[in-house]
Amino acid sequence: MKKILQTIQVFIQFFYRDFYVQIRQLPAHIINYSIIYPTMYIFAFAFLQTHIYFHGQTQVGAVVFAGTCLVPLMVMAFHITFDLLFDLEKNRHIDYQMTALDPRLILVEQILFSSFFTFFIMIPFFPLARIFASSYIDLSNISWSSLFLILYLGSLCASAYHKLAAILLTVEKISMFWTRVNHILLVLGGFWIPLHIIREFSPTLGFLLRFNPIVYLTEGLRQSIVGGSQFLPLAQCASALFVLSIIFTLLSFHFFKKRVDHI
Amino acid sequence: MNTFTDNAAIFLALLTRDMKVLKTRAHNLVIDGLILVSITVLIFGSLLPLLGMSTELIAPIFLGNSLSFFLASLGYNCAMRMVYDLKFDRFIDYFLTLPLPKTWLFAYYLSSFMIESAIVTLPLVTLGIIALGNNFGPINGSFIAFLCVYFLALLFWSLFFLGSSILYSFQWFKSNMWARRIMPLFIFGPAFFTFKTISAVIPIFSKLFWLNPLTYVIEGLRSALLAGPDYLPLSICVPGIFVGIMIMCIRLRYSIYEQLDPV
């Protein structure tokens, strides 16, 4: 019992440590991802795109706009989780941490911290859209509780996924990782185009995209914002995001042991 | 005191060295480019029209958004190498001690980026136009005019990124460059839409777009290749690009003296 309490205490201390490390960057992150990105995206993709591409159809505008929060979300999760990669290749603070806590718990702590931090940064995205863009895109059916639930689970999944990537990659491969993996996952994961349109275009591609974790995030967001049978059900999206987070975390355990344990 | 021939010989030796390095990573750049072009062709050529976007916008968006985004990505990666070098490796100190005037040295940096970008992007743009086929629409402009504007666009981007990489610190560049410099250029420029469609929706606010040099770069590329009354004429775009290039030259000069201080 004492040992468990001690472990929890160290776990919380590491959580605080991450918080103190990241707090220095917090104002810059808030300005970039909670203010600049939403403002620019509202202007370009809620206002202009709805008028120019979709001739003022507010519902289509809302469907397209819902996926655009992917970029700040993914970039934020990447920034926080990839500190581990830089640490693994340089300072190796992780070696000290492993003497105080089980490596698997360290990874869980880092993933949870990243998910909360990313979620916190992403909170203003849709409320800002509601305030400034509700006359250009149809946000009247928005369900805030399910929207924030999906946004948190999306942050959790993106954090676990990026943690796994940080363990598998080297610094030189980061730019390649963004172009060859993240860019494809983002753009085909519903950044602009919902799954049912892709299925209509190519059923095979639509089927393959079921294996893209980002699809469940964008479909969940669209279900929460617009609603309707054309999008995947909310429960399916939420459970898929949660299960995928667990899978990515378990894979992180496996590959982290391989990378750190030289024996 | 070096003669012009001495300077040119060192300049060419440096460029030859860069081309050798480029050879080793050319296949990676081409693969990355092919991925970007394929996804763009799929999204703008097939999927967005299924949501209601007019097919007349495909060609201008491909030239405006995709080509410029591709150049910006290449420029960002190049600038990132420079920022990293300035902070950690300081390979630039070796370059600064070469018997080469500083103007020649920075002209070498610019030329190297321009050659690399041209080698990678020109074939990919051609491939993209072929892949879009009939969706691209008629090419009423001139390839020679397009190549001239494309050269000016390369010069603009190379000055922009070289200036930024010297002006900003490693941390600032890594955290803020996309959100605070590159994205606003794209969002408050006609990258996703044509200037005329934007000014039809926001006639007064669109006047601010005249202050963005990317407006002239993008509309210039469109006007040169596609021609017609839908784009700003070359007689406006070319002087606009020259003004942008002049501003970027002054910015680069300021950043060199401010940060590197080569006596």
Side-chain angles (χ1 to χ4, degrees):
Chain A
M1 187 66 189
K2 199 180 166 193
K3 203 181 170 196
I4 293 171
L5 279 174
Q6 215 170 17
T7 305
I8 293 170
Q9 216 171 12
V10 176
F11 186 92
I12 293 168
Q13 287 304 321
F14 281 176
F15 203 90
Y16 277 135
R17 182 242 172 215
D18 280 351
F19 180 74
Y20 283 119
V21 170
Q22 295 297 336
I23 198 103
R24 284 181 303 165
Q25 285 288 311
L26 189 63
H29 287 324
I30 289 177
I31 292 169
N32 290 348
Y33 303 107
S34 307
I35 299 170
I36 294 178
Y37 266 98
T39 313
M40 287 195 300
Y41 279 12
I42 286 166
F43 173 68
F45 303 131
F47 175 63
L48 285 178
Q49 195 172 44
T50 308
H51 273 94
I52 296 169
Y53 285 8
F54 311 122
H55 315 290
Q57 294 178 66
T58 53
Q59 202 163 30
V60 182
V63 168
V64 174
F65 179 76
T68 57
C69 76
L70 276 182
V71 171
L73 188 144
M74 292 286 277
V75 174
M76 197 63 251
F78 166 82
H79 267 300
I80 307 288
T81 49
F82 265 64
D83 280 353
L84 175 68
L85 172 63
F86 303 124
D87 182 62
L88 279 170
E89 296 206 348
K90 213 173 166 201
N91 298 331
R92 294 199 66 97
H93 176 75
I94 192 90
D95 290 337
Y96 155 72
Q97 286 189 312
M98 281 192 297
T99 60
L101 194 65
D102 184 318
R104 284 169 295 189
L105 285 176
I106 297 172
L107 290 178
V108 170
E109 179 274 316
Q110 290 183 349
I111 290 168
L112 280 178
F113 174 80
S114 167
S115 69
F116 288 130
F117 198 90
T118 307
F119 175 67
F120 172 74
I121 294 290
M122 291 308 299
I123 285 175
F125 194 93
F126 289 104
L128 277 174
R130 178 66 190 247
I131 294 166
F132 296 111
S134 51
S135 26
Y136 322 121
I137 53 174
D138 183 9
L139 297 173
S140 55
N141 297 324
I142 202 162
S143 158
W144 290 107
S145 52
S146 47
L147 176 75
F148 285 124
L149 173 74
I150 290 291
L151 209 53
Y152 176 70
L153 289 171
S155 305
L156 180 68
C157 189
S159 300
Y161 158 74
H162 277 112
K163 186 59 75 186
L164 173 63
I167 291 165
L168 289 172
L169 291 172
T170 54
V171 171
E172 297 79 41
K173 288 186 178 153
I174 290 177
S175 123
M176 207 186 278
F177 166 68
W178 267 96
T179 318
R180 295 188 192 176
V181 185
N182 274 359
H183 184 72
I184 298 175
L185 290 184
L186 275 171
V187 180
L188 293 179
F191 176 74
W192 272 336
I193 318 290
L195 184 63
H196 71 273
I197 296 287
I198 298 179
R199 267 202 227 124
E200 196 182 300
F201 170 71
S202 159
T204 319
L205 184 61
F207 171 76
L208 287 175
L209 286 179
R210 289 277 182 150
F211 299 99
N212 179 353
I214 306 294
V215 162
Y216 298 99
L217 171 58
T218 53
E219 285 290 300
L221 289 173
R222 290 190 168 111
Q223 188 63 262
S224 313
I225 291 170
V226 181
S229 57
Q230 70 271 40
F231 307 116
L232 295 179
L234 201 69
Q236 190 184 338
C237 295
S239 45
L241 285 170
F242 186 67
V243 170
L244 284 165
S245 306
I246 291 172
I247 292 171
F248 289 137
T249 308
L250 292 174
L251 286 171
S252 299
F253 293 167
H254 175 71
F255 288 107
F256 185 69
K257 184 173 164 50
K258 271 193 163 180
R259 181 154 182 176
V260 176
D261 192 353
H262 301 291
I263 302 161
Chain B
M1 187 73 182
N2 281 0
T3 62
F4 178 84
T5 327
D6 294 335
N7 290 337
I10 300 171
F11 179 86
L12 282 176
L14 289 173
L15 273 186
T16 315
R17 169 195 163 273
D18 271 14
M19 290 308 107
K20 275 187 184 158
V21 175
L22 177 65
K23 251 189 205 170
T24 60
R25 40 189 198 93
H27 65 285
N28 277 329
L29 287 171
V30 170
I31 293 171
D32 290 352
L34 277 174
I35 289 170
L36 286 176
V37 167
S38 326
I39 296 225
T40 308
V41 166
L42 179 68
I43 296 290
F44 289 106
S46 305
L47 296 174
L48 273 172
L50 281 178
L51 270 172
M53 186 189 92
S54 162
T55 49
E56 286 172 5
L57 286 170
I58 293 174
I61 289 170
F62 179 75
L63 284 179
N65 177 31
S66 312
L67 176 57
S68 300
F69 181 75
F70 198 10
L71 287 175
S73 305
L74 283 170
Y76 179 80
N77 287 339
C78 238
M80 197 65 201
R81 286 200 298 271
M82 181 73 175
V83 174
Y84 191 87
D85 181 65
L86 285 169
K87 168 87 178 169
F88 300 108
D89 298 340
R90 298 292 307 181
F91 196 49
I92 192 162
D93 290 336
Y94 159 71
F95 282 123
L96 288 170
T97 56
L98 285 174
L100 189 69
K102 301 303 167 267
T103 320
W104 281 81
L105 179 64
F106 289 100
Y108 145 71
Y109 275 116
L110 297 172
S111 314
S112 176
F113 169 74
M114 287 169 71
I115 294 170
E116 178 178 327
S117 304
I119 288 173
V120 178
T121 53
L122 269 180
L124 290 170
V125 171
T126 317
L127 255 177
I129 294 173
I130 294 167
L132 282 168
N134 289 337
N135 281 342
F136 193 80
I139 296 172
N140 299 320
S142 136
F143 275 105
I144 295 168
F146 175 75
L147 285 176
C148 293
V149 180
Y150 176 76
F151 171 79
L152 292 177
L154 282 177
L155 186 58
F156 167 78
W157 278 118
S158 54
L159 284 163
F160 172 75
F161 278 110
L162 185 62
S164 304
S165 63
I166 299 172
L167 189 61
Y168 305 124
S169 69
F170 175 74
Q171 190 56 41
W172 193 97
F173 191 92
K174 200 163 67 84
S175 309
N176 303 318
M177 190 62 193
W178 270 105
R180 299 190 192 178
R181 295 292 179 272
I182 304 171
M183 276 302 290
L185 276 179
F186 276 84
I187 297 285
F188 299 111
F192 296 95
F193 324 96
T194 63
F195 184 76
K196 294 234 161 136
T197 55
I198 295 170
S199 52
V201 178
I202 39 168
I204 297 169
F205 190 74
S206 68
K207 295 209 170 20
L208 281 178
F209 283 44
W210 291 108
L211 297 174
N212 182 352
L214 204 59
T215 300
Y216 307 100
V217 172
I218 289 174
E219 286 285 303
L221 288 167
R222 287 167 179 161
S223 187
L225 193 65
L226 304 171
D230 294 334
Y231 317 108
L232 292 178
L234 279 177
S235 55
I236 294 178
C237 294
V238 173
I241 300 172
F242 271 112
V243 172
I245 287 172
M246 288 301 291
I247 294 169
M248 289 303 138
C249 279
I250 295 166
R251 180 172 173 260
L252 174 63
R253 197 182 160 81
Y254 166 78
S255 58
I256 289 168
Y257 281 99
E258 195 70 11
Q259 304 291 341
L260 296 176
D261 191 24
V263 183

